[in-house]
């Protein structure tokens, strides 16, 4: 008897290759700067990581601003207490354009449960182009500087209205109302009368 030879084939892998796997968007990062009015240059206020599609953000690091204040809290609105929060962006006319908002040191105060909100505005290119600060909503007076919570604001363009559309007016000068489409019976009702008349006429002659 002729012996049979068997060959063992390698098992087929049903899992897709790594190149075909759908990768989630990589989070982006940015540095938010703090520029006290009394200082000649800004310093890093916070490092943030964000994902614009899911509108998720994370505070990687934070450094409380160091300001040469007058020493008492009665002079909160003094120039030494004012700070600018922002970042450098690139425009068509300037490769290093400062964009920021003016706030007071007291607007960074709060508590563990009531923290100020640093809002990051995301543009069409998924870059942060503007930041602003919302003070804590706590009614308690506190001068303790705490790390802010983050909020992403997406300024993606939404649906646009159809402009420059002609307006059709009726004979009375008012907008013409849309006429409902007629049914088959409403269009050809007269055919049923003709067919009925012919049927009745034919039946009488046959008798």
């Amino acid at each position: 008897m002729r012996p049979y030879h068997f060959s063992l084939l390698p098992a087929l892998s049903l899992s897709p290759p790594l190149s075909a796997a759908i990768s989630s968007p990589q989070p982006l990062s940015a540095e938010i700067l703090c520029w006290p009015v009394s200082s000649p240059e800004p310093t890093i206020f916070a490092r943030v990581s964000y994902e614009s599609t899911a509108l998720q953000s994370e505070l990687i690091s934070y450094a409380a601003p160091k300001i040469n204040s007058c020493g008492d809290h009665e002079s909160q609105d003094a120039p030494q207490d004012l700070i600018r929060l922002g970042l450098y962006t690139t425009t068509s006319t300037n490769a290093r354009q400062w964009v920021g908002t003016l706030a007071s040191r007291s607007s960074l105060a709060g508590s563990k449960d009531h923290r100020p909100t640093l809002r990051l505005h995301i543009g069409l290119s998924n870059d942060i182009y503007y930041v602003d600060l919302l003070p804590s909503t706590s009614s308690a007076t506190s001068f303790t500087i705490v790390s802010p919570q983050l909020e992403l604001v997406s300024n993606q363009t939404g649906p646009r209205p159809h402009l420059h559309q002609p307006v059709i007016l009726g004979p009375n000068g008012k907008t013409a109302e849309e006429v409902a489409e007629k049914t088959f019976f409403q269009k050809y009702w007269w055919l049923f009368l003709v067919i009925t008349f012919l049927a009745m006429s034919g039946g009488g002659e046959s008798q």
Side-chain angles (χ1 to χ4, degrees), residues 143-163:
F143 297 102
T144 303
I145 302 298
V146 295
S147 61
Q149 58 185 356
L150 302 181
E151 178 184 352
L152 284 184
V153 180
S154 177
N155 290 346
Q156 302 287 345
T157 55
R160 298 182 179 180
H162 297 283
L163 304 177

Side-chain angles (χ1 to χ4, degrees), residues 87-91 94-99 128-130:
L87 69 164
Y88 285 106
T89 60
T90 302
T91 62
N94 193 346
R96 189 174 171 83
Q97 176 68 45
W98 167 263
V99 179
I128 301 176
Y129 70 91
Y130 182 72

Side-chain angles (χ1 to χ4, degrees), residues 30 48 55 58 61 67 70 109 134 164 197:
V48 298
L55 292 181
E58 180 183 358
S61 62
I67 303 173
C70 295
L134 298 179
H164 306 292
F197 177 77

Side-chain angles (χ1 to χ4, degrees), residues 5 11-12 29 99 137 166 198:
H5 298 278
L12 298 178
S29 60
V99 179
T137 57
L198 293 177

Side-chain angles (χ1 to χ4, degrees), residues 48-51 54-59 118 120 149-152:
V48 298
S49 174
Y50 64 95
E51 206 280 294
L55 292 181
Q56 296 178 351
S57 58
E58 180 183 358
L59 186 63
L118 184 64
L120 313 175
Q149 58 185 356
L150 302 181
E151 178 184 352
L152 284 184

Side-chain angles (χ1 to χ4, degrees), residues 173-194:
K174 296 183 179 180
T175 321
E177 297 181 358
E178 184 179 357
V179 181
E181 185 179 357
K182 295 182 178 180
T183 62
F184 180 83
F185 181 79
Q186 291 175 335
K187 291 181 179 179
Y188 306 104
W189 61 269
W190 53 274
L191 287 178
F192 293 95
L193 295 179
V194 174

Side-chain angles (χ1 to χ4, degrees), residues 28-189:
L28 304 176
S29 60
E31 292 182 349
I32 309 302
L33 305 178
C34 172
W35 195 346
V37 176
S38 57
S39 300
E41 59 184 10
T43 57
I44 297 178
F45 172 71
R47 289 185 174 91
V48 298
S49 174
Y50 64 95
E51 206 280 294
S52 59
T53 303
L55 292 181
Q56 296 178 351
S57 58
E58 180 183 358
L59 186 63
I60 300 176
S61 62
Y62 164 76
K66 297 179 181 179
I67 303 173
N68 297 325
S69 59
C70 295
D72 56 15
H73 301 293
E74 296 179 357
S75 58
Q76 294 176 7
D77 296 330
Q80 294 87 349
D81 186 70
L82 297 179
I83 56 176
R84 290 165 287 194
L85 295 178
L87 69 164
Y88 285 106
T89 60
T90 302
T91 62
S92 57
T93 58
N94 193 346
R96 189 174 171 83
Q97 176 68 45
W98 167 263
V99 179
T101 182
L102 188 65
S104 63
R105 186 175 184 271
S106 58
S107 61
L108 296 174
S111 61
K112 180 180 179 181
D113 298 329
H114 299 86
R115 297 186 297 164
T117 302
L118 184 64
R119 296 197 301 184
L120 313 175
H121 296 261
I122 309 297
L124 296 178
S125 58
N126 294 332
D127 293 333
I128 301 176
Y129 70 91
Y130 182 72
V131 299
D132 60 353
L133 183 68
L134 298 179
S136 170
T137 57
S138 175
S139 58
T141 303
S142 173
F143 297 102
T144 303
I145 302 298
V146 295
S147 61
Q149 58 185 356
L150 302 181
E151 178 184 352
L152 284 184
V153 180
S154 177
N155 290 346
Q156 302 287 345
T157 55
R160 298 182 179 180
H162 297 283
L163 304 177
H164 306 292
Q165 295 292 331
V167 179
I168 302 177
L169 300 178
N172 56 355
K174 296 183 179 180
T175 321
E177 297 181 358
E178 184 179 357
V179 181
E181 185 179 357
K182 295 182 178 180
T183 62
F184 180 83
F185 181 79
Q186 291 175 335
K187 291 181 179 179
Y188 306 104
W189 61 269

